[in-house]
Amino acid sequence: MSAFRSDPDLNVQDSTGNGTEVDVATHLLNGSVRLSILWTQEILLSADAAEHLAEALQRAAVESRNITDATATQPGPAAD
């Protein structure tokens, strides 16, 4: 099972129609954000697709901050 959760609202594909996709996912344990370009090393986006990608990255940043803030406020081991 992956510790990453992909953004379910993101459905962005290459504007040339070659099937290339992007994925934005947040690591649920440490809050890091992963941006993946699937099936190639680059992707050409329409303006609308670029906007959707930017929105997904912003959602991931918020989720990442929530995860790291929660981790930072958890009590550590008790001192002797």
Side-chain angles (χ1 to χ4, degrees), residues 20-80:
T20 302
E21 304 173 43
V22 294
D23 178 60
V24 173
T26 306
H27 193 284
L28 299 176
L29 301 177
N30 66 20
S32 61
V33 176
R34 178 184 70 194
L35 171 61
S36 300
I37 302 174
L38 309 173
W39 325 126
T40 189
Q41 292 183 3
E42 69 176 31
I43 187 169
L44 303 173
L45 302 173
S46 67
D48 288 343
E51 187 172 30
H52 290 298
L53 176 58
E55 291 166 355
L57 285 168
Q58 289 175 328
R59 287 190 296 269
V62 168
E63 186 173 23
S64 174
R65 284 188 188 98
N66 291 338
I67 290 169
T68 56
D69 288 349
T71 302
T73 58
Q74 289 181 356
D80 289 330

